[in-house]
Amino acid sequence: MTLLFAVVSGAYGVGVFGDMKPGGFEDPGSDSRRAAQLAEKAFPQRAPDAVVVYRDKDRTVDDPGFRDAVVGQLEKLPKSEVTGVAHFWMTKMPSQVSRDRHATYVALNLQGDNDNAKEESYKAVIDKLAAPGVESLRGGPVPTGHQAGEEIGKDLGAAEGLSFPVLFILLVIVFGGLAAAFLPLVVGGLSILGSMAVLRIFAQLTDVSVFAMSLVTVLGLAVAIDYGLLIVSRYREELARGHSGEEAIARTVATAGRTVVVSGITVAVALAGMTFFPFGFLKSMAYGGVASVVLSVFFSLIALPAALAVLGPKVNALSLRRRSKDTQARSTEEGGWYRLAHGLMRRPAIVAVGTLAVLLALAVPFLRIEFGANDARQLPNSAEGRQVHNMLERDFDDNGVKSIDSVLVLKAPAGSPEQGAALQAYADRLGQVKGARGAQISGAEGTTARVSVNFDGTAVSPEARELVNRLKDVAPPPGAKAYFGGETAVFDDTLDALGETLPLMLLYVAVATYLLLFLAFGSVLLPLKAILMNLLALSATFGVLVWIFQDGHLQDVIRFDPTGNIEPNMPIMLFALIFGLSMDYEVFLVSRIREQYDLLDDPTAAVATGLQGIGRLIVSAALLMCVPLAAMATSGVLTMKLFGVGMVFAILLDVAVVRILLVPAVMKLLGRAGWWAPGPLARFYSRYGIKETDAAPEAPRPAPVSV
């Protein structure tokens, strides 16, 4: 059945790349989107869907040969795909000619009422834009999104090709054998294939962002390997205790399997929080992420135990190292993790305060985060869209299509004398607003009109956002309704939507996580402690990302061009991912500590023996998860690079600082209070709690260590 699933899902899922779309960073219900829809119906858009730069190193735009080559090619474009063309020889706009007059840009409007339809139109003319004898470069919103999708697909293939062999080598080192090392990779591969099929199904029902595939590939592989590692390790542990193959599988599923379930639900809950936002990008990430996690849990509990049942003791076949029984007997009380835990718990207050100080210091840059739009600067310099963006910024005096547009629905036709006078008066008032550099009526058709406001500076600067809000305060003509559009208005609406939805998403994640962790730990304090620790670690991660990607540090090492800001959807996505995966390791660690506490009834000994039993596995799982994420950090797309770097740093910080240092220290300070719950809740946990094991103790109770 597993093999059949892999074949069917792989054959169907591979077509997902053709069904996914770029974009998804805008609120479809915003005023700026309404403004774009009104302008699309009434008159050609002021903001182009595509910008093609034509350049000739020998001839200028005044040369008839240059003109004839470009205009002749543009006239051949099919009207069914290109609804509008604006070139210099038509508009006579000086802003469309470079300073040296050897280059000009052409603005194109594409057929389609949404980004997906426009991309299809662009694909139909992509090879018809080059003019004979003239260099041409394709850029603008739609071509940039198309190029980003192609770059991501190429980077994903390279990341997968690099990750699998490296992961196999590391798994061999972790397990000390070839047979056991192969199993988690199988789970990861099945998860990826299944998630691709699920995404393609979603793509038939709604828009799915092309960026979602990057999350499916990385998260499906990373989480599946984590869960596979936990299941296989526990199975080998049960075999070492003398249990038969069938009994070992039953005990593994009843213990580590239950931990995988609660861990997977916790991660999926955090990822599902992204569906609260109206943006297609975040919703797509939620679809792909939840599918990856759920399928990873499914195959870890179904396919992996079946494979272990077939292998039995042969899971230890092709072993590269051997451990004596004496070493195994001594490992619980004399292992390095056991001694480290006791060392940390000798000075728990110092360890806790020092660790918190480090996290807070790393979080300081997060206080000055600046948000910016996702534009062509996310592409590498070799991409055409990035080259067009650089040329427009470097070689042209002004952006002739940059403006803040007020699209009005009037009570009477715009051509009437009374309405025309009111419209002109409105334009004059807009042009006099602080920060504006004039305004003019740029379109009028029936009862729809457009007034465009020019301004200095970049479209997504704080000053531009302030200008939009001041313009919105200007009263429109009597009886008219004004909708503000353009890049600045879109960006302002995006930040407003994020700010309005974020508190609801945070409340949902916090409450759901608290309830799940209570079922896992049986404590009212430990879930609160875990949530607070995660928020601290997240703040530290965001601080480091601001320091690197916003401020430009390490740009030569990581190889990127800083934009001076962070795309606002990325922190939301990283929050959901990092929060969920951090809880993944929290469940692994504290579930094992809870098991030891139930056996030993000593909170100090429980922390030490629990860390000894799971510490090596958590570190191994974290390092394995970092492999595909680090491969993603090599992407040429800045968004993917930030994602990879942020995830790697967050995971290493979480495991090395929070789980290994801070958790033992805080749990020592809490003592027995950490495991307290009111009587009714304690009875509820005793009956329904998700515990690591129900088995009776199999080893003598270790002697308490003086701390």
Side-chain angles (χ1 to χ4, degrees):
M1 289 296 295
T2 300
L3 181 60
L4 178 62
F5 174 88
V7 173
V8 173
S9 61
Y12 178 74
V14 71
V16 70
F17 293 98
D19 294 333
M20 293 188 296
K21 308 300 180 184
F25 297 96
E26 300 178 9
D27 179 2
S30 64
D31 279 0
S32 57
R33 183 59 187 165
R34 176 61 175 159
Q37 292 171 340
L38 289 170
E40 180 80 21
K41 292 180 180 179
F43 27 73
Q45 285 181 281
R46 179 175 175 83
D49 300 314
V51 175
V52 184
V53 172
Y54 294 98
R55 181 173 56 185
D56 193 309
K57 64 180 181 178
D58 298 321
R59 298 177 293 182
T60 69
V61 295
D62 305 305
D63 189 302
F66 191 159
R67 179 197 60 205
D68 294 343
V70 174
V71 175
Q73 189 65 31
L74 295 175
E75 290 176 347
K76 297 177 183 178
L77 297 177
K79 304 299 183 184
S80 59
E81 311 294 347
V82 179
T83 60
V85 177
H87 54 75
F88 164 71
W89 298 280
M90 173 198 303
T91 66
K92 307 300 181 183
M93 291 175 56
S95 59
Q96 284 189 265
V97 179
S98 64
R99 297 186 189 94
D100 64 3
R101 304 190 67 80
H102 282 271
T104 182
Y105 72 79
V106 175
L108 302 179
N109 291 122
L110 301 170
Q111 178 64 44
D113 56 1
N114 55 56
D115 292 339
N116 302 333
K118 290 179 184 294
E119 187 185 18
E120 292 302 318
S121 297
Y122 173 68
K123 290 179 182 178
V125 299
I126 190 172
D127 296 324
K128 302 176 182 178
L129 297 174
V134 179
E135 180 184 359
S136 61
L137 295 170
R138 297 158 296 190
V142 176
T144 296
H146 178 73
Q147 293 162 23
E150 290 185 330
E151 184 72 25
I152 289 172
K154 181 183 69 175
D155 292 341
L156 285 177
E160 291 176 1
L162 175 65
S163 297
F164 271 94
V166 174
L167 284 171
F168 182 71
I169 293 172
L170 290 177
L171 284 168
V172 169
I173 295 173
V174 170
F175 284 119
L178 299 178
F182 184 70
L183 295 175
L185 285 177
V186 173
V187 176
L190 290 171
S191 174
I192 292 174
L193 292 175
S195 299
M196 290 170 61
V198 171
L199 269 187
R200 189 174 186 190
I201 293 174
F202 272 104
Q204 310 308 311
L205 305 174
T206 185
D207 293 341
V208 175
S209 172
V210 67
F211 292 94
M213 198 59 228
S214 62
L215 184 62
V216 163
T217 301
V218 173
L219 191 64
L221 189 59
V223 174
I225 287 179
D226 270 9
Y227 296 159
L229 183 64
L230 182 65
I231 294 290
V232 174
S233 296
R234 188 68 184 227
Y235 178 69
R236 297 176 79 195
E237 184 180 326
E238 296 297 339
L239 288 178
R241 290 175 177 174
H243 298 296
S244 65
E246 183 176 341
E247 185 179 4
I249 289 176
R251 294 176 65 88
T252 297
V253 173
T255 56
R258 296 169 78 180
T259 299
V260 166
V261 169
V262 70
S263 175
I265 294 175
T266 305
V267 178
V269 162
L271 293 173
M274 290 188 285
T275 61
F276 282 60
F277 296 91
F279 308 105
F281 170 79
L282 292 178
K283 289 181 181 291
S284 299
M285 290 296 182
Y287 303 150
V290 171
S292 297
V293 173
V294 171
L295 288 172
S296 295
V297 172
F298 176 79
F299 288 117
S300 295
L301 298 182
I302 302 299
L304 189 53
L308 292 174
V310 173
L311 289 174
K314 292 182 180 179
V315 71
N316 295 316
L318 305 176
S319 178
L320 303 181
R321 66 169 183 260
R322 297 181 180 276
R323 296 178 64 199
S324 67
K325 293 183 179 180
D326 292 339
T327 300
Q328 294 176 11
R330 293 195 306 267
S331 62
T332 299
E333 297 183 48
E334 300 180 9
W337 294 105
Y338 185 87
R339 294 192 296 272
L340 173 63
H342 277 297
L344 295 171
M345 289 187 289
R346 288 192 183 96
R347 301 287 187 274
I350 294 176
V351 173
V353 171
T355 303
L356 290 174
V358 170
L359 293 175
L360 291 174
L362 292 174
V364 169
F366 183 41
L367 298 174
R368 51 182 173 78
I369 188 171
E370 293 286 345
F371 294 113
N374 193 9
D375 56 26
R377 290 176 295 176
Q378 68 170 314
L379 295 174
N381 285 319
S382 59
E384 285 188 57
R386 178 63 181 275
Q387 293 177 39
V388 169
H389 177 275
N390 292 344
M391 287 184 63
L392 292 177
E393 294 289 328
R394 182 186 66 240
D395 300 335
F396 291 76
D397 285 328
D398 189 22
N399 187 343
V401 297
K402 182 190 74 175
S403 68
I404 298 172
D405 297 328
S406 175
V407 181
L408 300 118
V409 178
L410 306 171
K411 68 175 183 178
S416 65
E418 179 183 355
Q419 196 67 65
L423 193 58
Q424 185 58 55
Y426 175 64
D428 293 339
R429 293 196 299 272
L430 292 180
Q432 295 170 4
V433 171
K434 179 183 176 182
R437 193 166 51 81
Q440 62 280 334
I441 301 173
S442 58
E445 183 69 32
T447 57
T448 304
R450 179 178 59 201
V451 177
S452 298
V453 181
N454 301 319
F455 61 96
D456 294 320
T458 59
V460 295
S461 65
E463 294 77 15
R465 287 191 63 209
E466 292 173 2
L467 174 58
V468 165
N469 290 304
R470 286 194 293 268
L471 293 172
K472 290 179 179 179
D473 292 335
V474 176
K481 173 65 176 176
Y483 299 92
F484 281 83
E487 186 178 358
T488 305
V490 169
F491 182 64
D492 188 63
D493 287 344
T494 297
L495 293 185
D496 287 345
L498 288 173
E500 292 172 1
T501 311
L502 183 59
L504 180 62
M505 183 254 199
L506 293 177
L507 179 63
Y508 154 77
V509 171
V511 172
T513 301
Y514 186 93
L515 295 176
L516 287 168
L517 293 186
F518 172 77
L519 291 175
F521 305 153
S523 163
V524 296
L525 292 180
L526 291 183
L528 181 61
K529 179 267 303 178
I531 292 172
L532 293 176
M533 286 182 178
N534 273 19
L535 292 177
L536 278 172
L538 275 164
S539 298
T541 299
F542 290 152
V544 170
L545 290 178
V546 169
W547 184 78
I548 294 175
F549 290 96
Q550 180 175 302
D551 297 345
H553 295 98
L554 305 180
Q555 59 179 304
D556 294 332
V557 177
I558 304 178
R559 300 179 65 183
F560 73 98
D561 295 325
T563 60
N565 51 53
I566 304 293
E567 201 284 320
N569 284 279
M570 290 304 295
I572 303 297
M573 183 186 72
L574 287 173
F575 169 83
L577 279 168
I578 296 170
F579 192 92
L581 293 176
S582 296
M583 286 302 178
D584 202 24
Y585 297 122
E586 177 78 2
V587 172
F588 283 13
L589 174 59
V590 182
S591 292
R592 184 59 70 94
I593 294 175
R594 176 78 216 199
E595 173 190 352
Q596 294 301 309
Y597 181 73
D598 291 340
L599 295 177
L600 306 176
D601 195 32
D602 182 339
T604 300
V607 172
T609 55
L611 186 61
Q612 174 63 32
I614 201 73
R616 181 174 178 270
L617 187 144
I618 288 179
V619 172
S620 300
L623 293 176
L624 289 167
M625 182 174 285
C626 286
V627 171
L629 293 170
M632 184 59 61
T634 64
S635 172
V637 179
L638 183 59
T639 305
M640 295 297 100
K641 189 180 291 290
L642 185 147
F643 169 77
V645 172
M647 291 296 295
V648 168
F649 179 83
I651 290 171
L652 295 179
L653 179 73
D654 183 80
V655 171
V657 177
V658 176
R659 306 305 153 200
I660 294 178
L661 297 180
L662 194 54
V663 168
V666 171
M667 294 192 72
K668 173 61 181 177
L669 292 173
L670 291 175
R672 291 186 182 275
W675 302 106
W676 175 81
L681 291 179
R683 289 189 293 273
F684 182 87
Y685 170 76
S686 178
R687 184 171 183 180
Y688 301 107
I690 308 174
K691 308 179 186 69
E692 177 72 10
T693 183
D694 293 322
E698 296 190 7
R701 175 176 173 174
V705 177
S706 177
V707 178

